[in-house]
Amino acid sequence: MPALSSSLAENRLHPSAQTHQTVTTVAVSTEGYSDNGACGKRKSEVLGSGPGGVVPIGAFEVSKGKRLLQVGLAVAYCLFAAGVVFGYAALKPVMIREGIYRDKCTEKEIEKGSRVCYEQEIRLNFMFTLAAVATNVCALLVGTVLDRYGPRVSGIIGSMLFALGCLGFSLAKQIRNFDPYPISYLLLALGGPFIFISSFHLSNAFPSHSGLILSMLTGAFDSSSAVFLLYRLLYEHTHGKLTLSTWFAAYLIVPATALILQLTLMPSGSYKTVGELVCQAEVEEELLHEDRDSGDYIEVDDDELRLRHERRSSLIHEIDSLLGGKDAKATNDRKLEQSHESSGVWGAMHGMPINRQICSWWFVLITLFTMIQMIRINYFVATIRPQYEFLLGSYHRAVEVNEFFDLALPIGGILAVPLIGYLLDRYSTLVILQILVALAAIIGSLGIVKDSYPAAIAGIIGFVAYRPFYYTAVSDYAAKVFGFETFGKVYGLIICLAGLLNLSQTGLDALTLRVFRKDPRPVDFGLLTASVVAGCALVGYVWRSGRRIKRFRLGLEAEGAREEIMPGGSLSGYGGV
């Protein structure tokens, strides 16, 4: 993808990818510096300590081979730990065959030969619901730990939480005082984001390829749902001999390896961001000029002065090479400016106080749409087999659909990455939202068609491509509308609120199983209707507000009042609609 994609890829990711900046500065004279660029109104040298008192690292200070190894290993352990809980649809059949919660079934249900009884279904689905909520709600916690203590501490915490989750599953049969399964699955869900998000800074190990690295990490997260698919296949191949306790005891090797890598090979601090590197290069260059203009030629030994100049010149050259040359920044800036103009909403709420942002319709409507979509997504993942058992009227065909979904979910997440990048880089936010709402309506409609195997397969193909597109588009919207200064708080709050609403999934399960006698269509249709209504309201608001923003900008241009636009693209005279 073009250079623009790197910047947009960062915009689309988790809030901590934006909020966790290792900006550690030493203020010096402000003469000679404009308001533009990474240094802004001050000269800043990235010399101080970052999160946890650890000095941030310039990528040029570490050998290329070591940086490649760090990125490769981070992608590997994210593949095996970051998002395994979302492979629940593959793990659930194994838990049922292992007899988990079978003791909660009534005698009448057992006599009828029910494969899954009511209480068993509710408890198993609650386990996933709790994990999905925790994954989203802990976003703010992970960001706080990253900002305060750095990526190494975050990675260590994630490895330990994940290890405790594996340990809980491996010892579950021996635990009598409490129910170990939801707690253990919760620990796996909490450990994943700590491990995953602490790896984001590695994109700065190769700044000119940051978009590719972030895409690889995101792809590893999506693909990690295949871990439980692999386990289910091994379980079936061994005819049930590879039990849950055996699998999770062996799987302790994953968090143990991640922990060892965090303590040894992985950097103790974050790699410096592009902005910090640019600022450092500007400072070094300015200091070179200051040395020449000052009296240092008289006061300092010639050899010492020459060595200092060589060091600074070498440092500037290394930073320029790392960033792709001196012309790369100017080219990227032009492309970003074109992207901001074409988005139609860039700067709508930039520079506004956080309380004004979250009280705006920009925030309320995207949060409402996100809440409904997230519960639709997680409800589908948790109940795919019983849904299609009813819709197709066959348990065996439902198993086939479930198995296809288990395989398609990680593959779809990977294959969708370049398409998502293409759409977000080339189309306005309004068009992206229209596509989201249209796809939500189509996929939702396919999900309530009865006795149609092709409709079931088409719906799943659409779902596995839609899921990463939806999450990415929401973060892209938040970055463009609210700006990076409050991105972490705003996006984190959106995801946190949406995650909390997922607790209502247990009520939806009860409605489907008891009130509608296992017919998923009423609940699915209700969620479909709600998402279309919320989506249309969002699209309508963005369309109307986008026109007002465009008229406002045209008015500024006509009056030659470009200086009224605040640094960073904020619309100082625009009220946020």
Side-chain angles (χ1 to χ4, degrees):
M1 285 193 281
L4 171 60
S5 299
S6 300
S7 298
L8 289 182
E10 293 174 0
N11 300 353
R12 296 183 208 122
L13 285 174
H14 202 277
S16 296
Q18 301 297 335
T19 58
H20 178 47
Q21 301 293 326
T22 57
V23 178
T24 52
T25 60
V26 178
V28 291
S29 171
T30 60
E31 285 184 42
Y33 269 72
S34 68
D35 289 345
N36 300 325
C39 297
K41 297 182 180 179
R42 63 188 178 186
K43 285 183 185 176
S44 299
E45 275 191 283
V46 188
L47 296 174
S49 61
V54 181
V55 177
I57 306 162
F60 56 85
E61 300 174 40
V62 182
S63 68
K64 184 176 180 181
K66 186 174 182 179
R67 283 181 282 137
L68 282 170
L69 188 59
Q70 288 172 342
V71 171
L73 289 172
V75 171
Y77 61 63
C78 283
L79 177 64
F80 289 103
V84 293
V85 293
F86 293 102
Y88 170 78
L91 182 66
K92 184 179 177 181
V94 175
M95 297 189 73
I96 291 171
R97 287 182 61 177
E98 285 277 289
I100 308 299
Y101 296 130
R102 190 67 179 174
D103 59 316
K104 305 299 180 184
C105 298
T106 63
E107 291 184 8
K108 184 177 180 181
E109 287 171 323
I110 294 174
E111 289 172 2
K112 287 175 60 179
S114 300
R115 277 181 290 271
V116 186
C117 68
Y118 171 78
E119 191 66 26
Q120 187 180 20
E121 180 77 16
I122 291 291
R123 286 176 178 264
L124 287 172
N125 288 348
F126 176 74
M127 185 179 78
F128 172 72
T129 299
L130 187 63
V133 171
T135 301
N136 294 309
V137 172
C138 79
L140 298 175
L141 173 62
V142 177
T144 301
V145 172
L146 269 171
D147 289 340
R148 182 165 296 183
Y149 302 108
R152 172 170 284 180
V153 171
S154 178
I156 290 172
I157 291 173
S159 301
M160 294 176 68
L161 289 171
F162 198 90
L164 287 173
C166 291
L167 194 63
F169 270 103
S170 65
L171 300 176
K173 296 289 186 182
Q174 285 77 50
I175 297 175
R176 295 286 182 270
N177 296 330
F178 60 90
D179 185 354
Y181 294 107
I183 295 175
S184 300
Y185 210 68
L186 173 65
L187 289 169
L188 294 178
L190 291 173
F194 274 99
I195 293 172
F196 175 50
I197 298 166
S198 66
S199 303
F200 281 177
H201 77 103
L202 292 173
S203 65
N204 294 317
F206 297 92
S208 58
H209 301 286
S210 62
L212 174 63
I213 295 171
L214 288 170
S215 296
M216 289 169 63
L217 290 169
T218 306
F221 178 89
D222 289 330
S223 302
S224 62
S225 61
V227 166
F228 289 149
L229 169 61
L230 173 64
Y231 170 51
R232 197 201 72 209
L233 294 174
L234 290 172
Y235 182 87
E236 292 171 350
H237 181 72
T238 59
H239 304 289
K241 293 180 181 178
L242 184 60
T243 62
L244 276 171
S245 58
T246 304
W247 167 264
F248 279 102
Y251 209 74
L252 279 165
I253 190 67
V254 172
T257 302
L259 179 61
I260 292 170
L261 289 173
Q262 288 292 344
L263 294 171
T264 55
L265 183 68
M266 292 298 168
S268 56
S270 297
Y271 279 113
K272 291 176 183 175
T273 64
V274 172
E276 290 168 349
L277 289 172
V278 169
C279 183
Q280 185 174 359
E282 289 177 357
V283 169
E284 294 292 347
E285 198 163 357
E286 181 72 12
L287 290 174
L288 272 178
H289 294 304
E290 286 182 359
D291 281 347
R292 290 166 185 161
D293 296 338
S294 68
D296 283 351
Y297 285 103
I298 298 172
E299 298 174 7
V300 182
D301 182 78
D302 286 346
D303 289 338
E304 181 183 341
L305 185 63
R306 179 173 51 80
L307 288 172
R308 191 166 68 190
H309 284 188
E310 287 178 356
R311 181 188 67 79
R312 284 176 176 158
S313 297
S314 175
L315 185 61
I316 293 167
H317 174 72
E318 286 177 336
I319 293 174
D320 285 340
S321 299
L322 190 66
L323 298 178
K326 289 188 175 182
D327 294 334
K329 184 177 183 297
T331 302
N332 287 345
D333 286 345
R334 285 195 299 269
K335 289 182 177 180
L336 282 172
E337 187 176 351
Q338 292 170 2
S339 169
H340 297 165
E341 291 290 334
S342 64
S343 73
V345 299
W346 179 267
M349 297 291 289
H350 288 201
M352 301 279 183
I354 184 67
N355 60 333
R356 184 170 178 183
Q357 288 183 339
I358 63 176
C359 290
S360 69
W361 284 108
W362 290 104
F363 178 85
V364 171
L365 291 174
I366 192 65
T367 302
L368 183 61
F369 184 64
T370 302
M371 292 168 79
I372 297 168
Q373 290 302 98
M374 190 177 289
I375 195 168
R376 283 185 68 195
I377 289 171
N378 290 331
Y379 180 66
F380 182 79
V381 171
T383 62
I384 180 172
R385 184 172 291 191
Q387 282 204 41
Y388 281 109
E389 184 177 356
F390 180 90
L391 292 172
L392 298 177
S394 167
Y395 173 75
H396 297 293
R397 300 200 82 181
V399 170
E400 290 177 10
V401 171
N402 195 159
E403 291 176 348
F404 175 74
F405 175 77
D406 294 339
L407 186 62
L409 186 62
I411 293 176
I414 296 173
L415 295 181
V417 167
L419 178 59
I420 293 169
Y422 176 84
L423 291 173
L424 290 176
D425 288 350
R426 285 164 178 78
Y427 292 96
S428 70
T429 302
L430 177 62
V431 172
I432 295 299
L433 292 174
Q434 289 172 334
I435 294 172
L436 276 179
V437 176
L439 287 177
I442 294 169
I443 296 167
S445 299
L446 289 171
I448 56 178
V449 176
K450 204 171 186 311
D451 300 323
S452 176
Y453 192 79
I457 297 299
I460 285 174
I461 292 173
F463 177 89
V464 299
Y466 181 83
R467 180 172 169 263
F469 178 41
Y470 152 74
Y471 282 115
T472 306
V474 171
S475 58
D476 186 68
Y477 170 100
K480 289 175 178 175
V481 172
F482 301 105
F484 297 120
E485 186 179 347
T486 57
F487 178 87
K489 296 182 181 68
V490 172
Y491 181 66
L493 186 58
I494 291 171
I495 298 301
C496 181
L497 291 174
L500 289 173
L501 185 67
N502 270 259
L503 290 171
S504 65
Q505 187 177 311
T506 302
L508 297 180
D509 282 334
L511 275 175
T512 300
L513 295 173
R514 287 286 174 90
V515 178
F516 302 119
R517 300 180 183 276
K518 298 185 178 181
D519 184 352
R521 290 175 297 177
V523 169
D524 286 341
F525 182 75
L527 291 173
L528 168 61
T529 303
S531 65
V532 170
V533 170
C536 287
L538 175 62
V539 167
Y541 181 78
V542 171
W543 172 77
R544 183 177 66 86
S545 300
R547 293 183 65 186
R548 292 179 62 181
I549 292 173
K550 187 175 181 180
R551 286 199 301 269
F552 180 80
R553 284 188 171 130
L554 288 174
L556 289 180
E557 290 177 6
E559 297 170 11
R562 278 291 186 181
E563 53 276 355
E564 288 187 27
I565 300 182
M566 295 168 62
S570 293
L571 303 179
S572 59
Y574 177 68
V577 193

